Amino acid sequence: AQSVTQPDIHITVSEGASLELRCNYSYGATPYLFWYVQSPGQGLQLLLKYFSGDTLVQGIKGFEAEFKRSQSSFNLRKPSVHWSDAAEYFCAVGLYNNNDMRFGAGTRLTVKP
Amino acid sequence: EPEVTQTPSHQVTQMGQEVILRCVPISNHLYFYWYRQILGQKVEFLVSFYNNEISEKSEIFDDQFSVERPDGSNFTLKIRSTKLEDSAMYFCASSEADPITRSRQFFGPGTRLTVL
């Protein structure tokens, strides 16, 4: 069965520092991969997605993610974190023609001034 | 940008009572979904709905749950007899029907359900 692992429950970075949030998936084929962000009291907002093609995908708010098939990973990065990036980040796996999207447990990002 | 809306934002109910959570998907979307997130846990898929019927459902979506599109704009999740463990944030989502863009699901802000 497909699964998504986010190894880091909580990450704290200083404002202006770089960020990398890890995501590993388990699935027999190449799934669709997503990163969502959830601010307190808010719904889930799509940051970026990977379906095929270029393995480095650009998203909104300056985020990017790289799909590495050999490592079954889809890590989210940002070169310089802003205080407004503090939120919960979810990696998710979806399948073509399947509506059952699976989410990781989430990584909570705290940004220090 | 169009958005998915959900009402109410917070619902408190007594155990055993029926609740209906309401969602208004994006108007040109044809796939609708419900997810839940128990406090401190991951977001879990409940059900997807297309063409007035359930497309897929998870093992969580048992007989006490039902979904309906009662009119052209609303999409509802009914929990027939709530249990304490139903307390969670419930997210509605919608997407287009095209197989490629279907996976881009737009989420609502969620309804926090508290069962006492």
Side-chain angles (χ1 to χ4, degrees):
Chain A
Q2 71 217 62
S3 67
V4 183
T5 302
Q6 292 181 247
D8 305 306
I9 297 173
H10 186 197
I11 283 182
T12 299
V13 299
S14 298
E15 190 168 16
S18 63
L19 170 71
E20 182 169 31
L21 303 182
R22 296 184 289 165
C23 172
N24 294 95
Y25 69 91
S26 171
Y27 185 62
T30 301
Y32 294 166
L33 297 160
F34 308 81
W35 275 98
Y36 285 86
V37 60
Q38 182 185 30
S39 298
Q42 302 290 313
L44 295 163
Q45 181 183 24
L46 180 66
L47 284 176
L48 47 77
K49 63 187 185 294
Y50 171 79
F51 286 173
S52 64
D54 191 349
T55 56
L56 184 64
V57 293
Q58 303 297 320
I60 62 171
K61 305 186 180 186
F63 285 92
E64 66 177 28
E66 185 171 13
F67 169 58
K68 292 186 178 179
R69 184 191 305 275
S70 61
Q71 299 175 19
S72 295
S73 70
F74 189 58
N75 294 348
L76 181 72
R77 300 194 294 249
K78 186 168 184 177
S80 178
V81 169
H82 188 263
W83 64 266
S84 61
D85 293 324
E88 188 90 16
Y89 290 81
F90 293 92
C91 181
V93 168
L95 303 176
Y96 179 80
N97 253 358
N98 183 319
N99 302 308
D100 183 356
M101 186 179 293
R102 301 295 176 97
F103 286 80
T107 297
R108 184 159 59 91
L109 174 65
T110 299
V111 180
K112 293 190 304 186
Chain B
E1 185 173 81
E3 57 183 25
V4 176
T5 59
Q6 291 184 242
T7 55
S9 58
H10 191 187
Q11 172 107 36
V12 181
T13 189
Q14 295 286 332
M15 189 171 58
Q17 295 296 304
E18 174 185 285
V19 295
I20 297 177
L21 309 183
R22 301 181 192 280
C23 168
V24 179
I26 293 172
S27 60
N28 64 334
H29 286 182
L30 298 177
Y31 270 93
F32 315 114
Y33 314 83
W34 283 102
Y35 293 81
R36 79 171 184 192
Q37 183 184 25
I38 296 171
L39 187 64
Q41 299 186 25
K42 63 176 66 178
V43 178
E44 301 170 293
F45 170 80
L46 291 177
V47 66
S48 63
F49 189 86
Y50 172 73
N51 201 25
N52 281 321
E53 60 183 26
I54 290 175
S55 177
E56 289 167 61
K57 61 181 181 178
S58 72
E59 60 275 9
I60 301 169
F61 193 88
D62 59 23
D63 291 344
Q64 70 158 349
F65 291 95
S66 62
V67 290
E68 190 179 29
R69 187 154 165 82
D71 53 45
S73 59
N74 289 283
F75 178 53
T76 62
L77 174 70
K78 183 192 292 186
I79 308 175
R80 195 180 353 267
S81 177
T82 50
K83 304 191 286 281
L84 295 177
E85 53 265 38
D86 293 326
S87 295
M89 181 75 90
Y90 288 80
F91 292 103
C92 174
S94 69
S95 68
E96 297 175 356
D98 180 272
I100 294 295
T101 54
R102 184 190 309 167
S103 291
R104 187 184 178 188
Q105 298 180 19
F106 289 76
F107 284 80
T111 292
R112 180 168 297 286
L113 176 65
T114 301
V115 182
L116 303 175

